[in-house]
């Protein structure tokens, strides 16, 4: 199985490749990709250099142009696709029909991968994209069990890519009305969820309050690790009690399910985290490289949950929808 790893900057691209990534995915420094944060992403020149470095080391580069274009401004997305193709990208990851159509018609040498932002999880939906635009792979939404993925793979003719580590989005893959309402910026249109310029940490008499655009998301006791205020993982009062109403602040770790995902017909395993630094990328990629190699060689499973506990949100991990334990 192909190990697809995050590259939020040129430095993390090199780190991922050197740690054993079969492929890295990255985006441009604008709102055409769903990780449009300050200090992240690539210029055209940086992407071209990154592609050369990756190819020299036997790795592929996948470029995420996976947000949805604005009315009367599709050219920004088309230009991003043109630049990715000119730089020698192996594949473009897209969700917008106009972007898919542009790449299919003008850059036939570049593979098209359907972004998770498209939320395609049925044979009919995936078949439409395959027949209309020639997509070669679909990145699966993080709401399917292993059994559901196996049934899906039996019914489609394209490759599948499944997330195995990193952040969880409990909305329909970025279509987050909570974040859009609170901040005025849409993850699917502007490429930002809980943008950092709207985050604040305020010291109170007996706690620290983490806020997003003025909304209190959580409070932490003195000495307690303070998390990033993502709205879907906030603590709210409802039904007479206070709890993490939508999702607990945990990270996905499906490292123990690699063999099951392989048996289900998954082609590629994806690590989330383009906003993370070199240390995180290096440690996570190395661990999954060992785990994937062990499964491919028929050896003993690697205790990846224990190895990567420190890299998980709140040092807590979940198998997510793969084992259907969510509330």
């Amino acid at each position: 199985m192909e190990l697809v790893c995050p590259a939020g900057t040129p430095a993390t691209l090199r780190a991922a490749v050197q740690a054993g990534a079969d492929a890295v995915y990255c985006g441009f420094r604008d709102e055409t990709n769903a990780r449009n944060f300050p200090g992240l992403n690539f210029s055209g020149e940086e992407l071209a250099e990154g592609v050369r470095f990756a190819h020299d080391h036997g790795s592929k580069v996948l470029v995420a142009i996976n947000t949805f274009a604005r009315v009367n401004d599709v050219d920004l997305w088309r230009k991003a696709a043109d630049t990715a193709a000119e730089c020698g990208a192996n594949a473009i990851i897209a969700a917008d029909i106009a972007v898919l159509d542009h790449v299919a018609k003008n850059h036939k040498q570049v593979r098209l991968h359907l972004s998770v932002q498209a939320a395609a999880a049925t044979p009919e939906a995936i078949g439409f994209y395959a027949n209309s635009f020639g997509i070669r792979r679909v990145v699966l939404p993080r709401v399917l069990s292993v059994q559901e993925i196996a049934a899906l793979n039996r019914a489609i003719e394209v490759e599948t890519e499944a997330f195995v580590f990193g952040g969880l989005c409990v909305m329909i893959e970025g279509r987050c009305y909570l974040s859009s309402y609170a901040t005025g910026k849409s993850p699917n249109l502007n490429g930002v969820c809980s943008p950092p310029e709207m985050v604040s940490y305020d010291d109170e008499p007996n706690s620290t309050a983490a806020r997003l655009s003025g909304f209190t998301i959580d409070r932490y006791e003195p000495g307690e690790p303070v998390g990033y205020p993502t709205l879907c993982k906030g603590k709210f009062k409802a039904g007479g009690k206070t709890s993490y109403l939508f999702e607990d602040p945990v990270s996905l770790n499906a490292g123990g399910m690699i063999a099951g995902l392989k048996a289900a017909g998954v082609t590629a395993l994806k690590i989330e985290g383009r906003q993370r630094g070199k240390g995180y990328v290096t440690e996570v990629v190395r661990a999954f490289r060992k785990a994937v190699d062990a499964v491919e060689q028929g050896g003993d499973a690697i205790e990846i949950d224990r190895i990567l506990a420190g890299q998980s949100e709140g040092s807590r991990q979940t198998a997510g929808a793969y084992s259907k334990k969510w509330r």
Side-chain angles (χ1 to χ4, degrees):
M1 289 183 289
E2 185 174 281
L3 186 58
V4 181
C5 304
T9 63
T12 52
L13 182 149
R14 293 190 293 271
V17 168
Q18 292 170 333
D22 295 309
V24 294
Y25 65 101
C26 55
F28 289 112
R29 201 170 288 133
D30 56 36
E31 58 197 277
T32 61
N33 90 88
R35 285 293 181 271
N36 183 25
F37 289 102
L40 290 184
N41 301 311
F42 289 69
S43 65
E45 294 76 15
E46 289 169 335
L47 178 63
E49 177 57 34
V51 169
R52 284 192 292 270
F53 180 87
H55 288 177
D56 286 346
H57 290 78
S59 299
K60 303 172 187 175
V61 177
L62 322 178
V63 179
I65 307 173
N66 58 343
T67 51
F68 290 85
R70 292 191 306 270
V71 176
N72 299 325
D73 198 16
V74 182
D75 284 347
L76 178 64
W77 280 258
R78 290 175 179 152
K79 184 177 183 296
D82 295 341
T83 303
E86 292 165 4
C87 289
N90 298 93
I92 289 173
I93 308 167
D96 188 291
I97 289 176
V99 178
L100 292 164
D101 184 61
H102 177 77
V103 176
K105 289 178 177 176
N106 295 283
H107 302 294
K108 297 184 185 298
Q109 80 281 11
V110 181
R111 284 172 57 106
L112 263 177
H113 293 183
L114 187 63
S115 170
V116 70
Q117 300 290 326
T122 64
E124 293 79 8
I126 294 168
F128 166 78
Y129 286 105
N131 294 332
S132 300
F133 310 111
I135 65 159
R136 305 282 293 279
R137 179 184 296 177
V138 56
V139 184
L140 297 176
R142 285 162 279 192
V143 295
L144 301 175
S145 68
V146 175
Q147 292 77 14
E148 288 168 332
I149 292 173
L152 182 63
N153 274 323
R154 290 193 292 268
I156 63 176
E157 297 181 358
V158 302
E159 301 170 359
T160 52
E161 181 173 306
F163 283 92
V164 289
F165 193 85
L168 275 170
C169 180
V170 298
M171 304 303 164
I172 304 176
E173 297 303 340
R175 299 175 196 185
C176 183
Y177 295 115
L178 288 174
S179 182
S180 299
Y181 172 79
T183 68
K185 291 190 175 183
S186 162
N188 282 103
L189 295 178
N190 306 108
V192 286
C193 167
S194 303
E197 67 270 19
M198 297 183 181
V199 170
S200 64
Y201 297 96
D202 303 315
D203 290 330
E204 298 180 343
N206 298 308
S207 64
T208 297
R211 294 189 169 95
L212 177 67
S213 193
F215 292 98
T216 302
I217 307 302
D218 207 342
R219 281 189 171 88
Y220 300 89
E221 299 297 323
E224 183 181 3
V226 177
Y228 192 84
T230 305
L231 223 160
C232 64
K233 296 180 180 180
K235 193 177 287 184
F236 301 95
K237 291 180 180 179
K241 63 179 181 179
T242 301
S243 67
Y244 291 108
L245 191 61
F246 300 103
E247 171 64 311
D248 293 312
V250 297
S251 290
L252 173 68
N253 189 344
M257 310 182 97
I258 294 174
L261 291 168
K262 178 178 174 64
V266 171
T267 302
L269 305 175
K270 189 167 198 167
I271 297 170
E272 188 272 342
R274 279 192 284 151
Q275 70 276 32
R276 300 292 197 128
K278 287 195 302 181
Y280 172 94
V281 169
T282 297
E283 184 174 351
V284 174
V285 174
R286 279 179 179 166
F288 270 92
R289 178 77 276 158
K290 291 178 182 177
V292 171
D293 289 347
V295 169
E296 296 287 7
Q297 295 164 11
D300 295 332
I302 304 294
E303 293 183 18
I304 204 164
D305 291 5
R306 177 182 56 80
I307 295 170
L308 294 178
Q311 297 291 2
S312 300
E313 189 172 353
S315 297
R316 298 166 62 194
Q317 304 174 85
T318 176
Y322 291 132
S323 58
K324 290 292 187 189
K325 292 180 180 178
W326 279 354
R327 290 195 302 275

